[in-house]
Amino acid sequence: MAMDMEKPQIIELAAHSVNYTLFDAQFVPTSARLVALGNYAKGTGAIDICAIEDGKLVVQKTHEKPTAFKCGTFGASRIEDRFLATGDFKGALSVWDLERMGSPVYHAKAHEAIVNCIDGCGGLGIGGGAPEMVTGGRDGCVKVWDIRQKDVPVANMGPADEADARDCWSVAFGNAYNDSERCVVAGYDNGDIKMFDLRTMSVRWETHLPNGVCSVQFDRKDIRMNKLLTAGLDSKMSIFDLRTQHKEHGFASVTTICHKSTIWCGAHLPQNRDIFMTAGGNGSLHLWKYKYPGKRVEKMEDGTEQGVAGDVIELNRVSSSTQPIFSFEWSADKEGLCLTTAADQTLRVMIVTRLNKQ
């Protein structure tokens, strides 16, 4: 079949197999390095620091820690520090200096069980306000952390009754357009999605999807909230238009079925918030573009305003692995450069072309 060269092409640049289960990988900001996280078969944690040299992935340093790692982010670090925050299988939140990995620069018992997800805001020059991290755990709690405050979270959003706790699978910061505004969205294993306003410490919005929510992400953290991408177990992804909230119907949304499997993660392109990638349990990557409607707001008969969702257009797709893709990360420094981890224990660096033509 002839390849349509007008479409963005998703091309594998380098791949590296490891001897542990990969769960997450992050580009080190403003460098040609990346960090891979996971767990060895004996239950210990793995942190590999890799570099891209002559088109190949080269492991520069390997670190083994007592507890397996599940997730990581640089989102709350200063660019000059490039501290990595991690969540592990015993519920600990740790912050690491990649140049001095002997012990973490910050450590807290964040959750009673595994830390499923983590996000950062206020670091790397992205988002107003203090650098903070948010974690979601199997105990059903969503907690916000500031490394200047030892051991205790600055905010704790958990169930009133522990018996009602639902596993929190995904978290994301957004709406951080000044020093006082900031929101957190959390997705749960039963399909619940909750948006917490950190300024008023209240639930700003909540909805329910048919199945567990594996991924949530604002299209930008540092603007007034615009769009929210969610993805989950039922092969469905949804885009919510966050500019207009109706008092009864909430936010308008458009839902698309894809991958024919669980959609483990979705991520917006940092250089263009209307382009995003989803990664599936069948090992495929799907590239999408969101097209806004002619009018984003419509008047209802009772005089209230309701948002109007746009359309989602598929730009391309590729089969990257024979196993589920657990994480996907865009590079903020190089447009189109991306990073995946999969259940086949392979770390892949890829490039997506022609994104500036879309």
Side-chain angles (χ1 to χ4, degrees):
M1 183 181 293
M3 182 181 293
D4 185 355
M5 298 305 296
E6 295 301 314
K7 288 184 176 181
Q9 303 302 315
I10 306 171
I11 303 166
E12 183 178 300
L13 291 182
H16 175 68
S17 295
V18 299
N19 61 346
Y20 57 89
T21 302
L22 284 161
F23 284 116
D24 199 3
Q26 301 282 322
F27 285 106
V28 179
T30 64
S31 83
R33 297 185 299 166
L34 55 93
V35 176
L37 304 171
N39 76 292
Y40 290 106
K42 58 184 177 181
T44 55
I47 298 183
D48 277 354
I49 302 173
C50 308
I52 304 171
E53 298 178 0
D54 298 324
K56 295 181 180 180
L57 273 177
V58 178
V59 178
Q60 293 183 329
K61 295 180 182 178
T62 296
H63 301 278
E64 185 174 355
K65 298 299 178 182
T67 307
F69 295 106
K70 182 64 170 64
C71 51
T73 181
F74 286 98
S77 171
R78 298 190 306 169
I79 292 178
E80 53 267 36
D81 292 333
R82 294 185 284 199
F83 288 164
L84 172 69
T86 60
D88 69 27
F89 275 67
K90 289 187 177 179
L93 167 67
S94 302
V95 179
W96 305 89
D97 182 345
L98 297 183
E99 307 304 323
R100 301 172 181 83
M101 290 290 294
S103 60
V105 297
Y106 177 85
H107 180 84
K109 178 63 174 176
H111 297 271
E112 294 303 316
I114 182 174
V115 179
N116 287 319
C117 47
I118 190 170
D119 193 23
C121 189
L124 307 180
I126 300 174
E132 291 177 334
M133 298 158 288
V134 60
T135 58
R138 184 172 290 173
D139 56 8
C141 294
V142 176
K143 299 181 181 182
V144 179
W145 304 85
D146 187 327
I147 64 172
R148 297 171 298 181
Q149 181 168 305
K150 187 174 178 58
D151 298 331
V152 181
V154 295
N156 184 357
M157 290 76 74
D161 187 348
E162 290 186 4
D164 297 330
R166 304 301 310 207
D167 203 338
C168 179
W169 282 356
S170 52
V171 290
F173 276 118
N175 204 45
Y177 61 90
N178 62 28
D179 290 345
S180 58
E181 294 286 346
R182 188 170 289 181
C183 288
V184 166
V185 165
Y188 298 84
D189 67 340
N190 64 341
D192 284 348
I193 298 175
K194 298 179 186 289
M195 180 185 292
F196 303 100
D197 190 321
L198 298 183
R199 182 177 62 84
T200 61
M201 286 306 300
S202 61
V203 178
R204 185 164 180 168
W205 167 74
E206 57 185 320
T207 189
H208 181 79
L209 300 182
N211 283 287
V213 182
C214 301
S215 175
V216 293
Q217 191 190 55
F218 289 90
D219 60 350
R220 284 289 182 276
K221 296 177 183 179
D222 55 350
I223 62 171
R224 291 180 183 272
M225 55 183 184
N226 183 58
K227 298 195 304 296
L228 176 72
L229 169 64
T230 68
L233 293 179
D234 52 359
S235 302
K236 292 180 181 178
M237 65 167 185
S238 299
I239 295 282
F240 292 86
D241 188 313
L242 302 181
R243 282 298 168 93
T244 304
Q245 182 177 3
H246 191 270
K247 60 182 180 181
E248 293 182 6
H249 305 299
F251 298 112
S253 66
V254 56
T255 299
T256 303
I257 298 176
C258 56
H259 291 280
K260 297 181 180 179
S261 65
T262 296
I263 306 174
W264 285 107
C265 52
H268 293 91
L269 179 69
Q271 295 82 7
N272 184 344
R273 67 188 184 191
D274 298 329
I275 293 176
F276 60 96
M277 187 81 81
T278 54
N282 61 354
S284 64
L285 295 171
H286 289 216
L287 183 67
W288 308 87
K289 183 175 182 179
Y290 182 81
K291 184 179 180 181
Y292 290 98
K295 294 174 61 179
R296 293 183 67 178
V297 180
E298 64 178 0
K299 283 275 190 179
M300 305 294 286
E301 292 182 358
D302 60 0
T304 59
E305 291 186 340
Q306 180 173 338
V308 179
D311 296 318
V312 174
I313 303 166
E314 187 178 37
L315 299 179
N316 210 343
R317 67 173 73 177
V318 69
S319 180
S320 172
S321 171
T322 58
Q323 300 293 320
I325 298 174
F326 290 147
S327 73
F328 178 92
E329 176 81 6
W330 290 107
S331 169
D333 303 314
K334 175 67 175 178
E335 185 179 64
L337 192 66
C338 53
L339 177 62
T340 68
T341 62
D344 61 2
Q345 297 184 322
T346 303
L347 185 68
R348 292 178 174 87
V349 175
M350 311 185 79
I351 188 75
V352 183
T353 66
R354 301 183 64 82
L355 290 172
N356 60 342
K357 305 294 183 182
Q358 304 308 307

